[in-house]
Amino acid sequence: MTLPNEDEIQLHNEIAGAGTGLPQPLRAVWRTLYWTYERATWQYDLMVIAILAFVWLTPPSWIGDPHAGGLGPIGWLTAWLRG
Amino acid sequence: MTFTGFIGTVCMFPLRAIIRACVVLRIHPNVLTFVGVLINLIAAWALATGRFVTAGGIMIAANIFDFIDGKVAREMGMESAFGGFWDSVMDRFSDLALFLGLVYLYSSVHRTDYVVITVMAMIFTVLTSYARARAESVVAKCKVGFMERPERIVLFMIGAFTNRMAAVLWVILVLSILTVADRIFYTWRELERAKAPERVPV
């Protein structure tokens, strides 16, 4: 595995908008929307987890899924909480 | 090692054996690409008829061909400019066929809303690859944005196997729009940077 050189790191930071002077929380949002990360990085893993959570946890009725059956984990939980 | 890196490494074990077999049998990589497309057409038909799990299984088979063609070409020393072009065109065709299957499915159950969402996802899928291809004719590389073909295909499979295709379509649509926007912004920024006069050290 080769480590990126300084020019590559600087380019990545510039492209990722690190130099735009945004405060930290906004910078994280910016970097999520303006995606410059490679596969098999922890940021990529986090994105995959977020996507899978949306796909598997969202109750199908919330998005009007014509084919999915069942409530989904969040649906079960809200149904259980309602009694 | 990251979670996705680990999954990639595990999946590579059986794929290496398949690649080896194709090299030994001297199967032309362009033929592998074409077989992958044909199998994807069957997957599209399964999606169109609402048989999601079958479609997921067929998609796995199709994408094995799609994944190994480039690697077989490399191992056989048969990499060519035409091979790359053929692969890209066939990839777009496979993508559109899968979306068409879903358009047929949702229109057959009179769900105009999901027909629109599927068509929009299809449009932005095409724009994702077009934006990169066009950008790379004016800047060196344009590989920003999350939603590329491997992500899309894995999402299709997850949607098919777990019967959550509608949620998957939303994810593909939103992230494809963002990817296209990322590529436009990146290309604009790179071109602006190239236009700027070189800094002279004082």
Side-chain angles (χ1 to χ4, degrees):
Chain A
M1 187 176 141
T2 54
L3 291 170
N5 62 35
E6 250 177 54
D7 284 349
E8 282 172 334
I9 292 168
Q10 193 193 343
L11 179 66
H12 177 273
N13 287 341
E14 274 185 36
I15 291 166
T20 55
L22 293 170
Q24 186 50 46
L26 285 180
R27 200 183 302 168
V29 173
W30 168 252
R31 285 189 166 205
T32 307
L33 297 177
Y34 184 49
W35 190 265
T36 59
Y37 300 107
E38 293 291 326
R39 295 194 181 106
T41 55
W42 67 265
Q43 292 92 342
Y44 187 87
D45 275 8
L46 218 58
M47 185 68 142
V48 168
I49 290 166
I51 289 170
L52 291 180
F54 173 78
V55 169
W56 285 333
L57 300 181
T58 307
S61 59
W62 289 11
I63 52 170
D65 191 328
H67 288 95
L71 296 170
I74 293 181
W76 290 327
L77 191 67
T78 49
W80 180 72
L81 288 173
R82 281 187 198 135
Chain B
M1 183 184 274
T2 60
F3 172 66
T4 46
F6 172 73
I7 290 179
T9 309
V10 170
C11 291
M12 266 317 284
F13 282 113
L15 288 174
R16 269 199 210 100
I18 299 171
I19 292 166
R20 199 70 232 129
C22 291
V23 171
V24 169
L25 293 170
R26 304 289 301 165
I27 301 173
H28 198 286
N30 290 353
V31 174
L32 291 174
T33 310
F34 189 63
V35 171
V37 173
L38 293 181
I39 301 174
N40 254 323
L41 288 176
I42 303 170
W45 174 248
L47 284 178
T49 50
R51 283 171 288 183
F52 283 156
V53 178
T54 310
I58 299 170
M59 270 189 265
I60 288 180
N63 287 288
I64 286 174
F65 282 89
D66 204 34
F67 181 78
I68 64 170
D69 53 5
K71 294 185 173 51
V72 170
R74 216 162 299 139
E75 291 214 5
M76 288 169 77
M78 292 178 80
E79 280 177 291
S80 68
F82 178 75
F85 166 79
W86 170 252
D87 185 38
S88 293
V89 174
M90 291 298 114
D91 281 354
R92 301 293 84 71
F93 187 67
S94 295
D95 282 350
L96 295 181
L98 294 176
F99 280 115
L100 186 62
L102 289 174
V103 168
Y104 182 91
L105 173 72
Y106 291 130
S107 59
S108 67
V109 292
H110 308 291
R111 287 300 298 268
T112 318
D113 50 351
Y114 271 97
V115 170
V116 172
I117 288 165
T118 310
V119 170
M120 281 179 68
M122 186 158 86
I123 290 170
F124 280 95
T125 292
V126 173
L127 282 180
T128 296
S129 48
Y130 181 74
R132 181 174 172 192
R134 191 69 185 82
E136 289 182 353
S137 69
V138 289
V139 298
K141 207 163 176 62
C142 181
K143 221 184 163 319
V144 296
F146 181 86
M147 190 51 70
E148 293 196 308
R149 189 159 192 268
E151 285 78 17
R152 203 161 46 234
I153 295 299
V154 170
L155 272 169
F156 261 127
M157 288 179 198
I158 289 169
F161 281 124
T162 63
N163 198 9
R164 289 289 182 272
M165 197 53 87
V168 158
L169 280 174
W170 276 107
V171 172
I172 291 176
L173 174 60
V174 171
L175 292 181
S176 296
I177 292 172
L178 277 175
T179 300
V180 172
D182 288 350
R183 289 178 177 185
I184 292 171
F185 178 68
Y186 174 84
T187 307
W188 170 76
R189 208 168 145 156
E190 284 298 287
L191 289 174
E192 285 299 305
R193 202 157 57 166
K195 263 198 304 194
E198 291 226 351
R199 284 186 204 136
V200 181
V202 181

